[in-house]
Amino acid sequence: MNIMVTNDDGIHAAGIRALAEAMTALGTVTVVAPDRERSAAGHSLTLHSPLRIFEQHKGWYAVDGTPTDCVNMGIHNMLPITPDLVVSGINHGANLGDDITYSGTVAAAMEANLMGIPAIAFSLATFAPSNHFTDAALMAVQIARQVIANGLPADTFLNVNFPDCPQDKMLPPLITRQGKRSFIGKIVDKTDPRGRKYFWVGSEEPHLNDEPGTDFHAINRRHVSITPLHLDLTNHKSLPILAEWTF
Ligand code: MN
């Protein structure tokens, strides 16, 4: 097995070290990750500046771009063969509900999925300091084993969230759907030392609706959450409604 590992917290993050190390149980691991934190980069590509690769040590490459750049660079320029699996994470912070649309972690898996490569995004559901990345990484290997053994349905990649606890305290994975955020927009508004106003997008814990069957509901109850995602953003239920419009 050839496994490519990336993330959006940057190549020096604890989560990618734990994930890359754990994945060596399944095969050869190559890390291609941003050279610094690129959280909330979404699915952005760098189009207006060049990209450079910095080899950190054997099999570990930092790129001065986004997570999506890393997947592109890794697959098209750096890995000798197409990887069998791309894993992204383990993100420091949940990627649940509507928040996944901002996520560089999820976008990296999305990019691999666009290239037809099985892909999984992993996140640890806490923004507080945590020493459970290794616990989560061991669970990540179990999930990756299932993906390798069974394959994924067409056009599907996985968004996995782990509760922030030791592995023996995590409850078994539940297959979930993407939940809904109750949006509490928070922009901090302050004045800098020179008297100018500045604004900072808030980073409070997401407020998500605790509905059964959702990613958030599972994580709230200490289950591992596995949500199958796809890239068809069409709202199929609205097609017949809009078809009634006349122009
Ligand atoms: Mn991140």
Side-chain angles (χ1 to χ4, degrees), residues 95-104 106-107 110 159 178 215 229:
N95 275 307
L96 300 166
D98 300 316
D99 284 340
I100 65 176
T101 58
Y102 303 107
S103 171
V106 173
M110 197 186 275
N159 181 38
Q178 183 186 336
D215 48 8
L229 300 179

Side-chain angles (χ1 to χ4, degrees), residues 7-10 37-40 90-93 95 103-105 127:
N7 76 345
D8 78 357
D9 291 340
E37 181 169 357
R38 301 303 297 261
S39 290
I90 297 169
N91 189 60
H92 194 172
N95 275 307
S103 171
T105 308
F127 291 98

Side-chain angles (χ1 to χ4, degrees), residues 31-223:
V31 175
V32 185
D35 64 348
R36 71 200 79 168
E37 181 169 357
R38 301 303 297 261
S39 290
H43 199 196
S44 60
L45 272 179
T46 302
L47 296 181
H48 304 290
S49 59
L51 292 169
R52 291 194 170 81
I53 300 163
F54 306 91
E55 186 172 5
Q56 310 277 300
H57 46 94
K58 196 177 179 299
W60 283 67
Y61 303 93
V63 175
D64 58 350
T66 66
T68 300
D69 292 327
C70 291
V71 173
N72 266 300
M73 294 281 285
I75 289 164
H76 295 306
N77 296 67
M78 292 152 74
L79 274 74
I81 54 163
T82 303
D84 301 292
L85 179 68
V86 171
V87 291
S88 178
I90 297 169
N91 189 60
H92 194 172
N95 275 307
L96 300 166
D98 300 316
D99 284 340
I100 65 176
T101 58
Y102 303 107
S103 171
T105 308
V106 173
M110 197 186 275
E111 187 68 6
N113 175 250
L114 281 173
M115 296 180 194
I117 302 165
I120 318 170
F122 294 109
S123 303
L124 185 63
T126 182
F127 291 98
S130 176
N131 53 8
H132 298 132
F133 285 106
T134 307
D135 298 88
L138 294 172
M139 275 304 297
V141 170
Q142 291 191 34
I143 293 164
R145 273 191 214 284
Q146 290 294 314
V147 168
I148 291 163
N150 302 308
L152 285 168
D155 301 321
T156 303
F157 65 105
L158 302 182
N159 181 38
V160 175
N161 283 268
F162 301 106
D164 180 32
C165 60
Q167 199 194 359
D168 59 354
K169 297 278 191 296
M170 285 182 199
L171 297 177
L174 295 178
I175 306 303
T176 57
R177 62 189 158 83
Q178 183 186 336
K180 271 265 163 224
R181 177 192 253 274
S182 340
F183 198 79
I184 303 174
K186 192 185 174 194
I187 293 185
V188 176
D189 168 343
K190 288 190 186 294
T191 305
D192 74 18
R194 291 181 182 81
R196 281 193 57 174
K197 266 193 167 291
Y198 69 88
F199 303 89
W200 204 306
V201 177
S203 57
E204 58 185 309
E205 294 278 342
H207 295 267
L208 291 138
N209 300 340
D210 194 28
E211 279 177 36
T214 63
D215 48 8
F216 187 61
H217 193 267
I219 281 294
N220 249 355
R221 285 152 188 82
R222 246 192 309 119
H223 283 278

